[in-house]
Amino acid sequence: MREKELQLTAVKAMLTIPDEKSGKKPAVLIISGSGPVDYNGNTKKFASNVYRDLAAVFTEMGYVTLRYDKRNLDAFYKTTLTDLIQDAKEAFHALQNQPEVDDKQLFIAGHSEGAMIATIIAEELHAIGLILLAGAGQNLIEATEYQRERAYKEISAQGGFKGWLFQKLKVIEKDRQKADNLFKRFKEAKEDVVRVQLVRMNAAWWREHMVVNMHHYYEKLSIPILAITGSKDVQADPNALQTLKPYPTIETVIIKDMNHVLKIQTEEPSMMKLLKQYKQTFSQPIAPELCDVMGSWLTKQIQGRKSHE
């Protein structure tokens, strides 16, 4: 595998190319999830390398890949959904124009928020297929609500003094009200950035996500789509895949014991221990079943197109 760093307009990107040099190859654009993550999937607080590892999986299958930084890594509060969509489109065209790439065989693999962005841009860019990882069937607001409800359920189940204290302080009720007030402020704000307890937050990004109806895009797309979520994902609801059943071009798969960072997790997932549990799986490879499912699906799409040529 060879790697080459590219400079796009606002972000850096990393191209990976299989060692075999004969002929042009199909390619996969990787769009990352929310937050200030670099093209490997890392932030200042933790190094998951999930997108580096995902790129390696696709490249070993024979696909060229491109992954890229999120915009404004050091000032992410400035970033809007419009910015992210623009960067994704530019990254797709950059991959399309690489000399090693067969520009008629381009797929997009989006993770978490990236799955939503991939779905939004796919029709315009004429991608031939989508892989939606840990983000299909919901918009970002619905996913956030799912996360909060998971956390509230854990808080309600606390026993002993801690459980008593949570009830006494009305932690759940206060947090619900706080979340409602925060979303109301984002929705009504005229500014792109607002300060919440001295922390700058990207209100424009939230406002844009509030009006996204993912099913509007699913209904318009006629290309093959593979939607995958792990059974131990506490950031994207595996049950949301059920809402995709009416769409004939979408295949859905739930990977047993896979968490949101695409690794196998033996421990029961917990919102209250989320980062600790993720860090325990960072050194593991991408879930083997996920690799098998994606590899088989991609091969089927390539062979299907060849049979119709």
Side-chain angles (χ1 to χ4, degrees):
M1 180 178 76
R2 294 178 289 128
E3 291 195 317
K4 179 171 66 175
E5 190 170 77
L6 307 178
Q7 179 63 56
L8 306 182
T9 301
V11 297
K12 290 181 180 179
M14 181 62 77
L15 184 75
T16 62
I17 306 162
D19 288 329
E20 186 184 347
K21 296 181 180 179
S22 60
K24 292 181 179 288
K25 296 170 177 59
V28 180
L29 173 67
I30 297 172
I31 304 179
S32 64
S34 60
V37 294
D38 66 17
Y39 57 58
N40 287 327
N42 302 335
T43 71
K44 292 181 178 180
K45 292 185 177 181
F46 65 87
S48 73
N49 287 310
V50 62
Y51 305 125
R52 181 201 67 184
D53 295 347
L54 191 60
V57 168
F58 287 130
T59 307
E60 287 171 9
M61 295 176 186
Y63 295 81
V64 178
T65 73
L66 187 73
R67 62 195 194 271
Y68 58 95
D69 290 345
K70 297 299 275 291
R71 190 183 294 206
N72 300 319
L73 285 179
D74 294 323
F76 190 69
Y77 59 86
K78 297 179 181 179
T79 305
T80 67
L81 178 58
T82 298
D83 293 333
L84 300 177
I85 290 172
Q86 180 181 328
D87 292 343
K89 291 178 180 179
E90 184 183 1
F92 184 90
H93 292 307
L95 179 59
Q96 191 174 39
N97 292 329
Q98 296 303 309
E100 301 88 355
V101 170
D102 180 346
D103 63 4
K104 299 293 191 296
Q105 297 195 93
L106 270 74
F107 297 88
I108 304 176
H111 174 245
S112 194
E113 183 192 16
M116 302 165 200
I117 294 171
T119 306
I120 291 169
I121 67 175
E123 183 180 38
E124 177 184 336
L125 298 180
H126 305 293
I128 67 167
L130 299 181
I131 298 176
L132 307 180
L133 298 167
Q138 297 176 294
N139 66 17
L140 189 98
I141 307 306
E142 292 164 339
T144 303
E145 290 173 354
Y146 168 71
Q147 294 165 24
R148 288 208 315 269
E149 292 303 320
R150 290 277 316 212
Y152 296 156
K153 187 176 180 180
E154 289 182 40
I155 291 171
S156 296
Q158 289 288 324
F161 175 75
K162 185 182 288 186
W164 174 85
L165 188 61
F166 284 156
Q167 289 185 0
K168 190 73 174 176
L169 296 177
K170 298 184 177 179
V171 169
I172 294 175
E173 293 86 342
K174 289 179 180 178
D175 192 80
R176 284 189 196 278
Q177 188 61 57
K178 180 181 176 182
D180 289 344
N181 292 341
L182 188 58
F183 278 104
K184 185 174 185 289
R185 184 174 177 189
F186 290 153
K187 189 174 183 178
E188 295 177 352
K190 304 300 182 184
E191 309 91 348
D192 286 352
V193 178
V194 299
R195 284 186 179 271
V196 179
Q197 295 179 343
L198 303 179
V199 177
R200 288 175 288 195
M201 302 186 72
N202 41 9
W205 178 77
W206 282 106
R207 284 199 301 273
E208 288 175 298
H209 269 294
M210 287 176 186
V211 297
V212 172
N213 179 350
M214 295 310 305
H215 288 270
H216 167 76
Y217 296 98
Y218 301 139
E219 289 167 358
K220 291 168 59 177
L221 290 172
S222 58
I223 59 174
I225 299 173
L226 176 63
I228 309 174
T229 304
S231 69
K232 289 187 176 176
D233 197 325
V234 294
Q235 290 186 257
D237 186 0
N239 293 322
L241 297 186
Q242 293 296 322
T243 68
L244 305 179
K245 296 295 186 182
Y247 306 110
T249 63
I250 303 180
E251 296 180 36
T252 62
V253 178
I254 295 177
I255 304 293
K256 186 177 185 296
D257 291 336
M258 188 175 77
N259 64 18
H260 193 68
V261 292
L262 312 181
K263 306 296 178 70
I264 295 301
Q265 180 173 314
T266 55
E267 189 179 356
E268 280 305 304
S270 166
M271 286 297 298
M272 300 173 75
K273 303 176 184 177
L274 193 66
L275 289 181
K276 179 182 177 182
Q277 291 186 334
Y278 284 171
K279 288 178 181 179
Q280 290 172 344
T281 66
F282 283 167
S283 62
Q284 296 180 17
I286 298 292
E289 185 183 350
L290 172 63
C291 300
D292 292 342
V293 169
M294 293 191 302
S296 298
W297 184 85
L298 285 165
T299 299
K300 183 173 68 173
Q301 306 317 314
I302 296 293
Q303 291 177 345
R305 291 182 67 83
K306 287 181 178 178
S307 67
H308 286 92
E309 290 178 353

